[in-house]
Amino acid sequence: VQLQASGGGLVQAGGSLRLSCAASGRTFSNKAMAWFRQAPEKVREFVATISGSGNSTAYADSVKGRFTISRDNAENAVYLQMNSLKPEDTAAYYCAARGSPFPGKYQYEYWGQGTLVTVSS
């Protein structure tokens, strides 16, 4: 599975961005997907996850109510809609996939390259 993230950029606090992640492979709907992020000099942290079917999602407390993860299995894509952005959301954002269709925070085998999100105050 190859993953390609895009959609990062510079936005003012309070603004919105939508990240996209395009996946290769024929078994996309069998794989749970997630977004992680890593700020400068910090460890990578979980942001959101979605089941293979798209029916189940979970979020980090820090983004709950502001971010929405979704997927389009026909297009082999997963998205992260980010609203009410804060300067502390500044980070490189990574999409990831794992062999299980069940969502979770761990055991992701496939990773895309990061897309940088910068939120100015």
Side-chain angles (χ1 to χ4, degrees):
V1 177
Q2 292 187 325
L3 304 174
Q4 180 76 35
S6 61
L10 174 64
V11 64
Q12 288 188 329
S16 298
L17 278 177
R18 188 191 194 210
L19 305 184
S20 299
C21 178
S24 65
R26 296 178 294 176
T27 58
F28 180 70
S29 62
N30 293 341
K31 294 178 173 57
M33 301 291 295
W35 288 94
F36 291 79
R37 68 186 181 185
Q38 186 167 15
E41 300 182 357
K42 292 190 176 181
V43 298
R44 186 159 54 190
E45 65 175 358
F46 165 79
V47 174
T49 181
I50 188 166
S51 62
S53 67
N55 290 336
S56 180
T57 59
Y59 298 89
D61 288 343
S62 59
V63 307
K64 203 172 294 183
R66 300 187 298 121
F67 291 11
T68 303
I69 189 171
S70 61
R71 67 189 295 160
D72 183 339
N73 286 343
E75 296 293 329
N76 277 19
V78 65
Y79 307 99
L80 186 69
Q81 178 66 44
M82 306 186 294
N83 298 329
S84 302
L85 282 161
K86 304 175 182 180
E88 51 263 44
D89 294 319
T90 295
Y93 283 72
Y94 299 85
C95 60
R98 66 181 196 176
S100 166
F102 301 108
K105 297 182 180 180
Y106 309 106
Q107 297 180 319
Y108 282 85
E109 304 149 47
Y110 309 100
W111 293 83
Q113 91 295 351
T115 185
L116 184 61
V117 172
T118 303
V119 184
S120 64
S121 57

